[in-house]
Amino acid sequence: PAFDAFHTSLVRLPFRHIVTTNYDPVLGHAHVAAFHKPAHVIDWSSQNEISEFLQNAHSPTFERRYLHLHGQVSHPNGIILTHRDYDRHYRERSEVGPLLFTLLATSKLVSIGFSLSDFDLMSIFRDVKVKMGPGAPAHMAILPTDANRDPAATRRMLESKFGIRPIFYPATPDHAALPVLIEMLLGASASPSTPLASAVVTPSVAMTGALATGRSTRPAVSAGEYIRFQRQARAAVDRLSKLGQQLGWESIATRGR
């Protein structure tokens, strides 16, 4: 599948690693275009690579990994697609649950384009929250507003049950505000004088889903709409930055980037 400027901007955000539930190689291709070198792509088919990833994920010298949680199209026999596949992957393979628990318990994860509707993954978020006990949410999710749900109620539910702080952007059918937000986060990460958002702190891991890794095109919007999106995106960046500071997460700026 083809990638575009949105995917390139997404992989240029200075996350240490990226986890995706998608099967396609879009993010790996975008990585090559952005950094002119191959991406380190792994999945559950290699336990040695998974063990190496968990042991070294927070090391500053360990290069970014792109972890495909549900397999890759290049290895169709390992794809997690049906209910039976999910049961086998999350319930019958004894190592998967503990390894994901370790990842979520030791990393700050920022979800982009992941709807938080995957029951198996969300149950692991829930387990981590229960085991870790009370405290500020360790993870974040960048989500579109839902006209059918109260954002305040959604925020309380995600924070209390799953340890996830949601950051909402204006919902439109084409998700036009998301590329604007990603561009602003990318700009913030490039400016050492700008307080960085949680999406660009370290250690952190990005989780992407269908929205973030499917074919995305920026639609034509009016100047007024674009300015409104920019203002709302700036507010989201400020919220991310303040929360990252409250949690004491080290920013890219403090590492001399």
Side-chain angles (χ1 to χ4, degrees):
F3 63 92
D4 58 23
F6 171 71
H7 303 113
T8 305
S9 296
L10 187 63
V11 301
R12 286 177 61 84
L13 285 171
F15 292 109
R16 285 220 169 134
H17 307 287
I18 293 181
V19 176
T20 180
T21 56
N22 280 51
Y23 316 112
D24 58 63
V26 166
L27 293 178
H29 292 170
H31 177 99
V32 174
F35 302 111
H36 307 292
K37 63 180 181 179
H40 291 271
V41 180
I42 61 176
D43 59 33
W44 295 102
S45 63
S46 174
Q47 286 303 305
N48 289 336
E49 289 184 328
I50 294 295
S51 297
E52 179 189 34
F53 170 67
L54 291 175
Q55 292 169 9
N56 299 283
H58 301 310
S59 169
T61 60
F62 189 67
E63 292 193 8
R64 174 190 284 177
R65 276 4 182 212
Y66 290 82
L67 171 58
H68 285 257
L69 284 182
H70 295 158
Q72 307 176 65
V73 292
S74 57
H75 302 93
N77 291 335
I79 285 180
I80 312 303
L81 185 61
T82 67
H83 287 297
R84 177 59 183 147
D85 293 336
Y86 272 78
D87 286 342
R88 185 169 57 249
H89 187 65
Y90 284 101
R91 292 173 174 79
E92 297 176 15
R93 292 185 60 177
S94 59
E95 77 278 7
V96 172
L99 288 176
L100 283 176
F101 184 99
T102 300
L103 178 64
L104 295 181
T106 60
S107 303
K108 311 297 186 183
L109 187 142
V110 180
S111 166
I112 303 172
F114 180 65
S115 66
L116 306 183
S117 61
D118 187 307
F119 175 81
D120 296 288
L121 282 176
M122 294 307 291
S123 67
I124 299 175
F125 274 101
R126 175 64 173 158
D127 289 343
V128 171
K129 175 60 177 174
V130 170
K131 296 294 192 304
M132 301 298 284
H139 310 294
M140 294 186 183
I142 299 176
L143 300 168
T145 55
D146 186 339
N148 298 317
R149 303 185 65 178
D150 176 17
T154 300
R155 177 176 291 108
R156 288 193 298 270
M157 182 272 292
L158 289 174
E159 291 182 358
S160 62
K161 292 188 66 175
F162 302 104
I164 298 173
R165 174 70 56 83
I167 301 295
F168 296 106
Y169 63 86
T172 56
D174 47 31
H175 295 273
L178 182 57
V180 177
L181 175 57
I182 295 303
E183 289 293 336
M184 296 187 73
L185 289 173
L186 187 59
S189 72
S191 174
S193 62
T194 303
L196 295 180
S198 65
V200 290
V201 300
T202 179
S204 64
V205 176
M207 174 177 282
T208 70
L211 172 63
T213 57
R215 178 65 179 171
S216 168
T217 57
R218 180 176 296 185
V221 296
S222 69
E225 289 175 323
Y226 189 78
I227 292 172
R228 177 169 59 86
F229 287 157
Q230 281 193 316
R231 289 173 178 169
Q232 291 171 317
R234 171 55 62 189
V237 169
D238 291 342
R239 285 177 56 82
L240 286 163
S241 180
K242 290 177 182 177
L243 182 58
Q245 291 173 351
Q246 291 170 4
L247 292 174
W249 294 354
E250 177 191 2
S251 74
I252 288 294
T254 64
R255 295 193 296 137
R257 185 177 176 87

